[in-house]
Amino acid sequence: MKVSIITVCYNSAATIRRTIESVLWQTYQDIEYVIVDGASKDETLQIIKEYQKLFGERMKLVSEPDKGIYDAMNKGIRLAGGGLLGILNSDDFYEPMAVEYMVNSMTDDKYQILYGFMRSIRDNMEFSIDRRSHKFLREGMINHPACFVTKAVYEDYGCFDLQYISAADYDFMLRMSRIDAVKFYPVDYLITNFSLGGMCSTGMAWLELLRLRKNYGIISEKEYRKEIIKDRIYQMYRKVCK
């Protein structure tokens, strides 16, 4: 089976070399690498092109402005020709056997979401290794960087909803969990290494997550408004303390 790895990036010169090399040196060979660059202003494109000759026809590169990270991911999904897709952020990197573990864990189901363990890294040190079960999705997101999804899932049930700026991956997983035909499979291996401190750790991301949880009925309108008020009070307190 051909596997497509998708990396979206913008001004990622400081980290993308490690990301690319983790794909290049996978033990599984039938890999297509799709890179969607948001018209970077730094040396990101130059670094990517250094590796293009090593991938040859296995690399697809697009560089153009986008409407955000999930718009770029959707572009990558549309470009992908593999039957199984993984999305690797430009400051993260796979373990050498990540793709092989995922392919070997597949079943005959048409619609599959496989997810393994993820190592979180802070200040270049291991912070944690974990894997949250899909059975508790209503309580929190599984590790998206450690997920692989069959192309058929995206083709038949849709990609990322662009109304969400930082939580569209969680929205996607919640939607898929409501579809009986889509099967979630935990994989008992360390798959990816994730760099802490990105967009999902911002205050704006927290507010969007609250809205998403309200939209899915995980919290009530009253609980949602209560959390919004608490956040506003906290923000006012921060300003006063400055």
Side-chain angles (χ1 to χ4, degrees):
M1 170 177 287
K2 178 184 287 186
V3 177
S4 297
I5 305 301
I6 300 164
T7 293
V8 302
C9 56
Y10 179 72
N11 291 346
S12 304
T15 58
I16 198 167
R17 191 180 296 275
R18 181 176 62 179
T19 303
I20 295 172
E21 289 187 355
S22 79
V23 177
L24 181 63
W25 302 120
Q26 285 296 302
T27 56
Y28 190 83
Q29 293 299 300
D30 195 2
I31 292 177
E32 168 193 74
Y33 196 19
V34 180
I35 300 182
V36 182
D37 174 69
S40 291
K41 308 300 183 186
D42 64 359
E43 297 179 352
T44 298
L45 270 177
Q46 180 182 329
I47 293 170
I48 295 169
K49 289 177 179 178
E50 288 179 26
Y51 290 91
Q52 224 172 357
K53 58 188 176 184
L54 298 176
F55 282 93
E57 295 181 354
R58 295 191 301 137
M59 179 183 283
K60 294 179 181 178
L61 172 62
V62 175
S63 182
E64 61 187 20
D66 54 54
K67 299 175 183 177
I69 187 170
Y70 295 111
D71 180 42
M73 287 180 182
N74 286 346
K75 287 181 185 179
I77 291 167
R78 290 192 292 269
L79 286 168
L84 184 67
L85 279 57
I87 297 178
L88 181 65
N89 299 326
S90 60
D91 55 352
D92 302 337
F93 58 99
Y94 282 139
E95 289 294 300
M97 294 183 67
V99 177
E100 185 173 343
Y101 288 144
M102 287 298 183
V103 172
N104 290 343
S105 300
M106 293 183 73
T107 68
D108 294 330
D109 295 297
K110 183 177 182 180
Y111 306 113
Q112 299 180 54
I113 297 176
L114 303 103
Y115 61 99
F117 286 91
M118 181 178 81
R119 176 190 286 118
S120 295
I121 296 174
R122 189 172 73 183
D123 299 329
N124 294 317
M125 295 182 290
E126 180 181 292
F127 179 77
S128 65
I129 295 178
D130 73 298
R131 186 190 65 195
R132 182 191 293 268
S133 171
H134 70 280
K135 296 177 182 178
F136 298 93
L137 261 174
R138 288 176 62 85
E139 296 181 20
M141 175 60 171
I142 59 176
N143 294 324
H144 189 231
C147 290
F148 279 66
V149 180
T150 54
K151 180 73 178 292
V153 172
Y154 296 116
E155 290 177 331
D156 294 350
Y157 296 115
C159 298
F160 298 108
D161 187 338
L162 300 189
Q163 72 167 297
Y164 298 108
I165 298 172
S166 60
D169 50 350
Y170 189 24
D171 167 69
F172 173 80
M173 292 299 175
L174 285 170
R175 276 190 286 126
M176 295 307 108
S177 70
R178 294 182 168 188
I179 301 170
D180 291 338
V182 178
K183 307 300 182 183
F184 286 77
Y185 294 111
V187 176
D188 295 329
Y189 292 101
L190 177 61
I191 300 300
T192 196
N193 300 277
F194 173 77
S195 299
L196 293 170
M199 178 174 61
C200 291
S201 63
T202 65
M204 183 181 69
W206 166 243
L207 294 176
E208 183 170 277
L209 181 61
L210 283 175
R211 178 165 62 90
L212 186 151
R213 291 170 67 84
K214 175 180 72 73
N215 291 347
Y216 277 88
I218 297 172
I219 60 174
S220 66
E221 180 73 27
K222 183 178 180 180
E223 290 172 313
Y224 171 71
R225 293 184 181 277
K226 181 180 178 181
E227 290 298 325
I228 292 296
I229 292 171
K230 284 170 60 177
D231 182 75
R232 288 175 180 170
I233 293 172
Y234 173 69
Q235 296 303 329
M236 291 173 61
Y237 174 77
R238 288 187 63 188
K239 288 180 180 180
V240 170
C241 288
K242 286 182 179 180

